[in-house]
Amino acid sequence: MSGSALSFTIFPGSILGFLQIATVLSLLLLLFKTAQFYLHRRWLLRATQQFPSPPSHWFFGHKLSFLVDQEFQDILTRVKNFPSACPQWLWGSNVRIQVYDPDYMKLILGRSDPKSHRSYRFLAPWIGYGLLLLNGQTWFQHRRMLTPAFHYDTLKPYVGIMADSVRIMLDKWEQIVGQDSTLEIFQHITLMTLDTIMKCAFSQESSVQLDRKYKSYIKAVGDLNYLSFFRIRNIFHQNDIIYSLTSNGRKARSAWQLAHDYTDQVIKSRKAQLQDEEELEKVKQKRRLDFLDILLFARIENGSSLSDKDLRAEVDTFMFEGHDTTASGISWIFYALATNPEHQQRCRKEIQSLLGDGASITWDDLDKMPYTTMCIKEALRIYPPVPSVSRMLSTPVTFPDGRSLPKGITVMLYIYGLHHNPTVWPNPEVFDPYRFAPESSRHSHSFLPFSGGARNCIGKQFAMNELKVAVALTLLRFELLPDPTRIPIPIPRLVLKSKNGIYLRLKKLQ
């Protein structure tokens, strides 16, 4: 009896003692984190003191100074007020230096700094550590391994495949639009570019544009574009465990799985095709292999094949980058031509004189449309498909104007800001294709739609070919006109998007 009474009196005391210890430990942890935050913020303030910026809140950073989807307006103000570069505080202990000067760009892109882990790690559950996220020697090995997939001998026959995919899209447009009808073009173009990449890089024979099942993958990519972009900017979503418990975290996990299921099926399908001796022999006789076949036959430097994880990472990376960025580029080029009809008509005349009715288009034709190419480049200047990329400084850097940054600072190469910098491009909002005339001169790093340096876009020639094919064949069949009631609003995501879609009026040419 006395023993049970004793245990009854001790038990509440034990709980109280435990709570007291937990409270003390929690306070110590809070003090440690506060001190860590304070010291790191002090270091960041010293590191960036040579670069003035708008006033910021000690905790919320610059978030209070611009609204959601107002980031482009903010960067244009910074470009005008703060020469070359400007700090942007995401929150009190997270700052990045926004760079929008060609000399600064050239210096950073000429170095071997890694991608910013703080930002890019949030893409890893989706696209894995493929060419986009890898750094160092492993990146170099993968880049060297995949470079032959973009040799001109490989790209030449793709022009016909691209043309077939564009024609499927244009045929659909003729069926669903009447004279002067309005259409949201981005989703259609996204399906077309996915169709192209599947046929060119992954040896798929069925048409993505004619099979509704592929729309779920397109939606997953769109959701991940949004979710990844906002996770980077949310202090409360940095921790993986906390993020997994949020509604956005659950949506992201579902979209990751859907994207992975899709790419797994692509890999499985191609492996099954290669079990056929006739197909295998056909591949072996090719002078150069397609993207996926290179991965499946690859032997890295130690003689082993790529792991399933590495294989899927490269497929996930190129599946996303190979269709979404190109779809953004084509959509905004069409909008730029729609709002500049005199340039559109001149492009059309050039293409008609070269291709006639467009029954065929070849590799050699792509270099014979100079004015159209100038217009494409000018549209990519105004609407760069990838608005920014980031690097983490692995060593200190001193810029041409004498200002410097220490190791460990994140530098954001703001391509959109560079392309709209009035000291680099006079009247930057004006569509002027003569900026890219053969006789014009410009800084080597003033135009970076595919980034630059050693880590430039490996598929830039593939992308430019697809842009030219899409523009040429579309202008032969449709006049593109803007919808004045729905003007697209560019917003930054992983890839340049429009807040309200991209609507155009399509007028069938007789």
Side-chain angles (χ1 to χ4, degrees), residues 63 66-78 88 90 96 98 229-230 233 387-388 412 414 416 490-493:
K63 282 183 174 292
F66 61 90
L67 303 174
V68 174
D69 294 333
Q70 297 295 311
E71 191 165 330
F72 284 155
Q73 288 85 337
D74 180 69
I75 189 64
L76 294 182
T77 300
R78 289 164 176 256
Q88 183 191 42
L90 294 182
R96 56 195 186 182
Q98 295 177 325
F229 179 83
F230 281 104
R233 287 156 172 75
S388 64
M412 184 180 188
Y414 218 125
Y416 187 93
I491 53 174
R493 295 292 182 267

Side-chain angles (χ1 to χ4, degrees), residues 13-33:
S14 300
I15 291 292
L16 181 61
F18 173 78
L19 290 175
Q20 289 174 336
I21 293 172
T23 301
V24 170
L25 291 176
S26 298
L27 288 173
L28 288 174
L29 179 62
L30 179 61
L31 286 172
F32 173 76
K33 288 294 184 181

Side-chain angles (χ1 to χ4, degrees), residues 165-350:
S165 293
V166 172
R167 290 189 187 102
I168 291 173
M169 178 185 73
L170 299 178
D171 289 342
K172 288 173 61 180
W173 285 3
E174 286 195 10
Q175 294 172 7
I176 62 178
V177 302
Q179 194 74 354
D180 295 334
S181 294
T182 298
L183 182 71
E184 202 291 308
I185 62 170
F186 189 83
Q187 293 302 316
H188 291 269
I189 293 174
T190 301
L191 278 172
M192 183 273 290
T193 56
L194 181 61
D195 192 21
T196 298
I197 203 69
M198 292 293 295
K199 291 174 179 175
C200 293
F202 301 108
S203 303
Q204 298 292 298
E205 296 179 358
S206 60
S207 176
V208 168
Q209 299 179 83
L210 303 177
D211 191 334
R212 296 181 63 86
K213 71 179 181 181
Y214 295 101
K215 290 187 177 181
S216 59
Y217 173 75
I218 296 288
K219 184 179 184 306
V221 170
D223 290 343
L224 290 170
N225 241 304
Y226 173 88
L227 294 167
S228 301
F229 179 83
F230 281 104
R231 185 182 180 188
I232 293 169
R233 287 156 172 75
N234 190 328
I235 186 174
F236 302 108
H237 286 176
Q238 303 299 295
N239 182 275
D240 291 341
I241 295 175
I242 293 175
Y243 186 66
S244 69
L245 299 175
T246 66
S247 60
N248 279 359
R250 292 190 294 271
K251 288 178 186 176
R253 186 167 58 248
S254 175
W256 294 334
Q257 188 59 54
L258 196 153
H260 292 163
D261 289 345
Y262 182 79
T263 50
D264 285 343
Q265 183 56 43
V266 170
I267 296 169
K268 180 180 177 181
S269 173
R270 187 54 181 162
K271 283 183 175 179
Q273 290 174 351
L274 294 175
Q275 295 299 311
D276 180 79
E277 290 187 10
E278 185 177 333
E279 178 67 17
L280 184 59
E281 188 60 31
K282 190 193 310 180
V283 171
K284 288 180 177 179
Q285 290 177 0
K286 279 187 174 183
R287 184 177 176 184
R288 296 188 180 273
L289 299 179
D290 294 335
F291 179 87
L292 181 54
D293 289 342
I294 285 177
L295 293 172
L296 293 173
F297 288 102
R299 290 290 181 270
I300 49 183
E301 290 186 357
N302 62 7
S304 62
S305 59
L306 287 177
S307 68
D308 289 343
K309 183 179 180 180
D310 289 341
L311 174 61
R312 188 172 77 176
E314 294 297 359
V315 173
D316 275 321
T317 297
F318 197 65
M319 188 87 73
F320 159 58
E321 291 225 306
H323 90 273
D324 205 34
T325 54
T326 314
S328 174
I330 294 172
S331 299
W332 287 107
I333 290 167
F334 283 1
Y335 174 71
L337 291 174
T339 52
N340 293 276
E342 68 282 7
H343 297 297
Q344 178 186 164
Q345 182 56 23
R346 182 166 174 180
C347 289
R348 183 176 291 109
K349 287 182 177 180
E350 178 181 72

Side-chain angles (χ1 to χ4, degrees), residues 26-45:
S26 298
L27 288 173
L28 288 174
L29 179 62
L30 179 61
L31 286 172
F32 173 76
K33 288 294 184 181
T34 301
Q36 189 181 49
F37 173 90
Y38 174 77
L39 292 174
H40 187 57
R41 178 172 169 80
R42 284 280 303 273
W43 179 80
L44 290 173
L45 287 168

